[in-house]
């Protein structure tokens, strides 16, 4: 056996051993239990905390935004609920204005219009600093919540030791393409294996952005750190959900997963946007894993295995793939041992997932192995080499309204106090309907200036 074959075999055997131990323990800990820190039975509805829902929007499709806001309006939450829709300097403000008008008479809805795009993180903060609810729920503008999501998350958060909790994510456009079907299964595995196992120890490492609830008292303590995150001296503007979760854990709070709080979000339906998303997520993961390493000594040993499995595992798999390809290229021999072992592990994992989910479609998740080997591993390698790049690689700014389009002006926007004590306005884009109740509309540059 030559050097390449030996290296490939050693790498894939090491990967197989690590992955088998990691996934076996993960599956064991991910199994549901009847033990809860706080019983949800007999909870006094009147004691439910007040909740502020933050929905940042940037060039969102009006139909998608409408579906999101409708799901929020239909929540059956018995406590006090306020929704803050933050338009982050969208170029399609006139297109989404009819969606805003639908909720102009709903006292639960307020709208914050930022005059220019400042990023999702600052858009969230602009609303957080204006709201006052005991709990804050961050919701992406392309996400639809089932009617009981806020109730179930708020009940979980009644334990004061919990700083954040997330619901289970599904793909709302699952049936669109073969890729959306794969991503939906990927989300199920990420939630019901990875997050569920981490939640056993109160340490979910990333409360995902589409549906994550935070305790305000904890959030306010961390808000400045959250807003001013730097990486290599440069502002870090993406991966806000993972970073905020790590900050919660650093502050000593538990982070939880609530599997029956279901949120459906739009996922990429073609490879190019999917790979861009994965590149951004990979950079965020690598950055915050460095921060999370300091936490491991104070957490259960499983979390150390989790970090090792998620980071060392792909490196071993990449090494076995590269040496296998080199073996094929230089010696014209196929690394059958490597191929068969990877195929066997894929079949076992998909079979276990199909059994746990009670859905045969998970056998088709085997296709994801090819995507992982030949697309995601190179993307992760590129992400590791370009960690300082903070490009969102996502939705680009839409064209601003041209001179031929009708421009609606808010008659009575709320003034935002300036540092000099005078009142100042920043922008006047809006719609006439909200001028009937200007207390629910804010035009502000506070997020732009970092105040």
């Amino acid at each position: 056996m030559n050097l390449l074959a030996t290296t490939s075999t050693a790498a894939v055997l090491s990967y197989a051993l690590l992955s088998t131990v990691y996934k076996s323990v993960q599956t064991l800990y991910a199994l549901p239990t009847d033990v809860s820190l706080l019983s949800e039975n007999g909870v006094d509805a009147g004691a439910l905390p007040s909740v502020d829902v933050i929905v940042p929007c940037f060039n969102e499709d009006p139909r998608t935004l409408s579906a999101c806001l409708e799901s929020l309006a239909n929540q059956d939450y018995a406590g006090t609920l306020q929704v803050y829709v933050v338009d982050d300097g969208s170029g399609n403000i006139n297109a989404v204005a009819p969606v805003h008008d639908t909720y102009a008479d709903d006292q639960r809805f307020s709208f914050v219009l930022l005059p220019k795009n400042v990023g999702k993180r600052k858009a969230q903060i602009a609303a957080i600093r204006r709201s006052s609810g005991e709990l804050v729920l961050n919701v992406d503008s392309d996400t639809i919540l089932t009617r009981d999501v806020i109730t179930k998350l708020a009940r979980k958060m009644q334990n004061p030791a919990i700083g954040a909790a997330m619901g289970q994510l599904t793909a709302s456009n699952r049936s669109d393409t073969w890729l959306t079907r794969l991503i939906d299964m990927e989300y199920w595995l990420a939630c019901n294996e990875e997050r569920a196992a981490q939640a056993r120890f109160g340490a979910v490492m990333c409360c995902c952005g589409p549906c994550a609830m935070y305790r305000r008292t904890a959030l306010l303590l961390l808000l400045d750190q959250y807003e001013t995150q730097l990486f290599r001296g440069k502002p870090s503007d993406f991966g806000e959900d993972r970073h905020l979760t790590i900050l919660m854990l650093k502050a000593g709070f538990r982070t939880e997963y609530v599997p029956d709080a279901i949120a459906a979000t739009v996922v990429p339906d073609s490879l190019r946007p999917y790979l861009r998303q994965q590149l951004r997520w990979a950079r965020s993961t690598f950055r915050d894993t460095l921060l999370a390493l300091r936490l491991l000594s104070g957490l259960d040993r499983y979390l150390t295995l989790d970090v090792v499995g998620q980071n060392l595992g792909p490196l071993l798999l990449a090494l076995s793939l590269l040496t296998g390809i080199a073996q094929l290229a230089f010696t014209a021999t196929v690394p059958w041992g490597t191929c068969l072992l990877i195929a066997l592990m894929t079949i076992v994992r998909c079979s276990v997932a199909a059994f746990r989910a009670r859905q045969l479609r998970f056998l088709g998740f085997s296709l994801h192995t090819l995507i992982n080997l030949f697309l995601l591993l190179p993307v992760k390698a590129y992400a590791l080499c370009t960690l300082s790049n903070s490009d969102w690689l996502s939705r680009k700014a839409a064209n601003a309204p041209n001179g031929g389009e009708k421009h609606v002006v808010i008659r009575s926007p709320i003034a935002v106090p300036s540092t000099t004590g005078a009142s100042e306005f920043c922008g006047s884009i809006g719609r006439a309907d909200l001028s009937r109740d200007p207390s629910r509309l804010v035009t502000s540059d506070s997020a732009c200036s970092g105040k």
Side-chain angles (χ1 to χ4, degrees), residues 10 25 27 31 74 85 181 207 214 291 338 341 347 408:
V25 177
T27 301
L31 295 176
N74 292 333
V85 183
R181 291 182 177 90
C207 290
Y214 301 91
L291 183 61
T338 297
L341 188 54
I347 293 172
V408 184

Side-chain angles (χ1 to χ4, degrees), residues 335-401:
W336 289 113
T338 297
C339 296
L340 291 175
L341 188 54
I342 292 175
L344 177 61
M345 293 178 64
T346 298
I347 293 172
V348 171
R349 187 192 181 198
C350 292
S351 298
V352 171
F355 175 76
R356 289 195 61 218
R358 302 295 191 270
Q359 298 179 43
L360 287 176
R361 68 187 179 104
F362 278 85
L363 296 178
F365 193 68
S366 302
L367 177 60
H368 190 269
T369 295
L370 297 177
I371 295 176
N372 185 41
L373 287 173
F374 299 107
L375 293 178
L376 296 185
L377 284 180
V379 163
K380 291 177 181 179
Y382 180 71
L384 192 58
C385 297
T386 58
L387 282 181
S388 296
N389 190 331
S390 293
D391 187 357
W392 261 72
L393 301 168
S394 185
R395 205 173 315 159
K396 301 299 181 182
N399 293 329

Side-chain angles (χ1 to χ4, degrees), residues 162 177 241 266 273 366 372 396:
I162 298 174
T177 66
D241 48 3
V266 177
S366 302
N372 185 41
K396 301 299 181 182

Side-chain angles (χ1 to χ4, degrees), residues 8-76:
S8 179
T9 301
V12 77
L13 287 175
S14 299
Y15 168 74
L17 177 61
L18 173 61
S19 183
T20 299
V21 172
Y22 170 46
K23 288 299 180 182
S24 298
V25 177
Q26 183 184 76
T27 301
L28 177 63
Y29 283 138
L31 295 176
T33 66
D34 295 327
V35 178
S36 61
L37 292 174
L38 185 71
S39 174
E40 295 185 2
N41 297 322
V43 175
D44 181 7
L48 288 173
S50 56
V51 176
D52 292 326
V53 183
I54 311 297
V55 186
C57 313
F58 178 61
N59 293 334
E60 190 60 83
D61 181 276
R63 292 169 299 181
T64 303
L65 178 61
S66 177
C68 173
L69 299 187
E70 182 180 3
S71 75
L72 295 174
N74 292 333
Q75 288 294 304
D76 61 2

Side-chain angles (χ1 to χ4, degrees), residues 40 48 51 53 68 71-72 74-78 81 135 137-139 143-157 165-170 208 210-213 257-264:
E40 295 185 2
L48 288 173
V51 176
V53 183
C68 173
S71 75
L72 295 174
N74 292 333
Q75 288 294 304
D76 61 2
Y77 189 61
L81 182 66
L135 302 175
L137 176 65
N138 286 338
V139 176
T143 300
I144 300 173
L145 308 185
T146 53
R147 294 175 63 90
D148 57 358
V149 165
I150 294 180
T151 298
K152 289 180 175 178
L153 289 176
R155 283 176 171 172
K156 172 65 73 172
M157 296 289 290
M166 64 168 284
Q168 180 176 177
L169 301 183
T170 65
C208 299
C211 179
M213 181 174 281
Y257 167 58
V258 184
D260 54 351
I262 310 296

